[in-house]
Amino acid sequence: MKKVELLAPAGDLERLKLNLLYGADAIYIGGEKYGLRANATNFSIDEVREGCEFAHRLSKKVYLTLNIVFHNEDMEGVEGYIKEIVDAGIDAFIVSDPFLISYIHNHYPQVEVHLSTQNSTTNSAAVMFFKRQGVARVVLARELSKNEISEIIKNTNMDIEVFIHGAMCTCYSGRCTLSNYVTGRDANRGGCAQVCRFSFLENDQHSFTMATKDLNLARYIPDLIDIGVCSFKVEGRMRSLYYLATVIGTYRKIIDDYYNGTLTDSKMEGYAKTLDRVANRETSTHYLIDKADERDQYYTGRQELSNQDYLGLITGYDKERQCLIMVERNYFTVGDRVEIFTPNGEVFEKVIDVIYDDEMNEMEVARHPEQVLKIKFAQEVPKYSMMRLLEKGKTFN
């Protein structure tokens, strides 16, 4: 049985590398043109090339989005741009425009075409139509149930990709015009202003929003593998390094434990708690199990508090003093119990006994984000390891 792909988002080269190190099998990125995340840093041609080379050294893949709704003026230069991206080593394009599907399939048959979720594909007949056009994979609309997904896979024998985690569009699989009307920014051409998350005044006392809760299908990964989904997609090209490392690392463990026959209820509870702690929004299963209703929406009283668990990024190791070198992100003190987690899946617990600045002056409290600190630790850990809070203020023994 072919193992399901874990597909991670990257808004820049650092996120691409981090996601691959934390267990993603493939990365999807946006170039400087024609993608729906114009507010992300996105990738130059040289960065696409570097990202593909890095991924291919790990026997992993990179896909690029060409999924805006193309108007006439958007077509200018697109064929030359596609050639540059192919020459840079891309493995697949994520596309929704029928002409571009045909163009890429006919001119670059060595590169796969994946049908974007922006096409809102919801039935077997549509999947078969695009299969005949040369599409290798369909990213289904996000408004389908598990039974509908299963039926499409059985009827089409097509590679099917589904979203499993992250922020989802309030409107039908991304077909939104709220941003156009309210801000003049075209959501379907890369300019989404996330108007669904605005607070609208209902009357003098009350306001409302219309945003969906984030998607979280962690507990249904075994079900989705069993029905034959080929790729699990995580949203979040503009999310923090800590968020991506935690989410991708956690889903990697869930998937691997399932295939290894070691995914226990106890383990799943732990993974679910980790995912709940890293996000600052409530989550739901959207359409997968039941039809979405008011419980899947934020209407009033939404609170999005920044996550304070992430304490710092490990950037090196002082062998002489046996100290981890880290860049601080959030406040912590001597006596806090912390967890150091690594890209290769290792996890270490520690109670902070001493904190040093970069000149080895002893400190009781770390309170300055971006400060370089040193923490006593007996062994070196890989680059992109991170430290997060488990409990505040435990007495050191």
Side-chain angles (χ1 to χ4, degrees):
M1 178 171 59
K2 185 180 178 182
K3 198 169 185 178
V4 71
E5 174 187 87
L6 179 58
L7 177 58
D12 58 33
L13 201 51
E14 185 175 33
R15 285 168 172 78
L16 179 149
K17 293 178 179 179
L18 176 135
N19 278 324
L20 290 173
L21 293 173
Y22 271 90
D25 300 300
I27 304 291
Y28 67 99
I29 64 174
E32 293 177 328
K33 304 175 183 178
Y34 313 118
L36 282 176
R37 291 294 179 269
N39 294 328
T41 304
N42 292 322
F43 286 69
S44 67
I45 298 296
D46 287 341
E47 287 170 330
V48 173
R49 182 176 293 105
E50 183 177 346
C52 290
E53 289 172 353
F54 184 89
H56 294 163
R57 285 197 296 271
L58 299 174
S59 299
K60 299 185 178 186
K61 296 180 179 181
V62 181
Y63 312 144
L64 185 129
T65 58
L66 286 175
N67 57 351
I68 65 168
V69 174
F70 280 80
H71 291 228
N72 283 331
E73 59 265 31
D74 299 315
M75 298 300 292
E76 185 176 347
V78 69
E79 294 178 10
Y81 181 73
I82 289 170
K83 183 180 187 307
E84 287 185 291
I85 295 294
V86 172
D87 290 344
I90 207 72
D91 296 286
F93 288 100
I94 303 171
V95 187
S96 57
D97 185 89
F99 166 74
L100 291 179
I101 291 170
S102 174
Y103 178 83
I104 295 168
H105 177 64
N106 290 329
H107 288 79
Y108 304 102
Q110 75 275 24
V111 177
E112 288 188 352
V113 178
H114 298 174
L115 184 66
S116 172
T117 191
Q118 296 299 122
N119 196 74
S120 300
T121 307
T122 57
N123 64 77
S124 301
V127 171
M128 289 304 297
F129 171 82
F130 284 107
K131 188 175 186 178
R132 290 191 292 270
Q133 307 312 306
V135 168
R137 178 188 298 183
V138 172
V139 189
L140 291 179
R142 291 163 283 190
E143 293 76 19
L144 295 175
S145 69
K146 183 178 71 172
N147 290 337
E148 289 175 304
I149 296 169
S150 178
E151 185 177 355
I152 288 172
I153 293 170
K154 288 177 182 176
N155 290 342
T156 66
N157 195 30
M158 182 67 154
D159 279 359
I160 295 297
E161 179 181 307
V162 298
F163 279 91
I164 59 166
H165 201 93
M168 298 293 111
C169 185
T170 298
C171 296
Y172 211 97
S173 270
R175 294 188 175 192
C176 175
T177 57
L178 287 173
S179 184
N180 304 55
Y181 284 116
V182 176
T183 69
R185 290 165 51 179
D186 192 336
N188 295 296
R189 297 168 81 187
C192 179
Q194 295 194 330
V195 172
C196 56
R197 297 191 180 276
F198 288 10
S199 182
F200 292 89
L201 193 64
E202 184 177 2
N203 53 48
D204 291 339
Q205 282 79 38
H206 301 287
S207 62
F208 71 94
T209 65
M210 59 189 88
T212 63
K213 295 178 181 178
D214 278 10
L215 180 67
N216 181 337
L217 300 185
R219 296 180 186 276
Y220 296 94
I221 291 302
D223 295 341
L224 292 169
I225 292 174
D226 288 346
I227 65 174
V229 172
C230 83
S231 179
F232 292 151
K233 190 171 199 168
V234 173
E235 178 276 338
R237 272 185 267 175
M238 294 184 284
R239 299 273 196 165
S240 71
L241 295 176
Y242 173 64
Y243 175 92
L244 292 170
T246 303
V247 171
I248 297 305
T250 302
Y251 275 106
R252 178 76 275 152
K253 290 177 180 177
I254 293 172
I255 292 166
D256 289 349
D257 282 351
Y258 177 72
Y259 280 103
N260 294 334
T262 57
L263 184 60
T264 62
D265 290 343
S266 166
K267 277 190 173 182
M268 181 56 80
E269 286 302 318
Y271 295 145
K273 286 179 182 177
T274 298
L275 291 171
D276 286 343
R277 283 179 69 98
V278 74
N280 59 1
R281 301 171 185 160
E282 293 180 37
T283 62
S284 82
T285 58
H286 289 210
Y287 296 84
L288 189 75
I289 306 304
D290 302 298
K291 287 186 178 180
D293 58 24
E294 70 280 358
R295 292 168 296 180
D296 299 289
Q297 296 283 135
Y298 285 119
Y299 288 104
T300 57
R302 182 172 102 249
Q303 291 187 339
E304 296 182 0
L305 303 175
S306 62
N307 185 286
Q308 302 297 312
D309 289 351
Y310 178 31
L311 302 183
L313 176 68
I314 310 301
T315 58
Y317 189 71
D318 184 333
K319 293 182 180 179
E320 181 182 349
R321 297 180 175 89
Q322 289 193 311
C323 286
L324 296 174
I325 304 169
M326 64 178 288
V327 179
E328 182 194 348
R329 290 292 188 267
N330 280 301
Y331 175 99
F332 65 98
T333 70
V334 169
D336 287 349
R337 188 164 68 93
V338 303
E339 183 176 77
I340 296 158
F341 63 102
T342 72
N344 58 22
E346 290 183 301
V347 178
F348 307 94
E349 288 190 19
K350 173 180 175 60
V351 176
I352 300 294
D353 53 338
V354 62
I355 305 168
Y356 300 105
D357 67 15
D358 60 348
E359 296 179 347
M360 294 305 292
N361 297 308
E362 192 168 330
M363 306 163 58
E364 289 288 321
V365 179
R367 55 165 58 93
H368 301 294
E370 301 303 319
Q371 183 176 8
V372 176
L373 303 173
K374 293 185 178 182
I375 305 295
K376 279 287 185 183
F377 199 67
Q379 68 184 82
E380 189 171 356
V381 297
K383 185 180 179 181
Y384 289 118
S385 296
M386 299 187 187
M387 191 169 82
R388 61 183 163 214
L389 182 69
L390 290 178
E391 287 183 278
K392 290 295 294 180
K394 292 295 180 183
T395 302
F396 178 74
N397 294 317

